[in-house]
Amino acid sequence: MNRGQMERPVEDRSVAELALQELQDRIEASCLESRYAGMVCDLCIGQVSLEQAFQEIHQKAMEQLVGLLDARVLDDEAALDACLEKIAEESERLAWAALERGTEALREGLAMLEKGQAVLDSGFVN
């Protein structure tokens, strides 16, 4: 193997690592998890099963995370592969975290209603 062949994988890896870090920064800045938790509440109130809610949120997360990719990543196969793998992992993590947060918010809301807490004379929950 000549020196040029040895340098290329290192170069690919550094481009991929840079692309992954940029993608991770964009994911963190997007605050998608909290948006999806609200979506879980809406879906559950609409009597959608948790499995279906997970699928819908996972799909939505994948679509939005792909939208966070820098177009330059498309020109580098190693970086694209690494980013797509990261998107698959993160979209699943986001969906599970949203399900946990959303169902916990629903539980808390139901518990408040059952105890009669925070219900004003107008009948609205504070």
Side-chain angles (χ1 to χ4, degrees), residues 69-85:
L69 283 175
D70 188 316
R72 294 175 292 178
V73 170
L74 301 175
D75 294 333
D76 189 294
E77 189 175 334
L80 181 60
D81 288 345
C83 286
L84 290 176
E85 186 175 318

Side-chain angles (χ1 to χ4, degrees), residues 12 43 57 71 73 76 86 102:
D12 285 347
L43 290 169
I57 292 166
V73 170
D76 189 294
K86 180 69 167 178

Side-chain angles (χ1 to χ4, degrees), residues 55-68:
Q55 291 299 325
E56 287 187 35
I57 292 166
H58 185 245
Q59 181 66 33
K60 183 83 168 169
M62 285 181 64
E63 291 169 5
Q64 289 185 319
L65 293 179
V66 166
L68 297 177

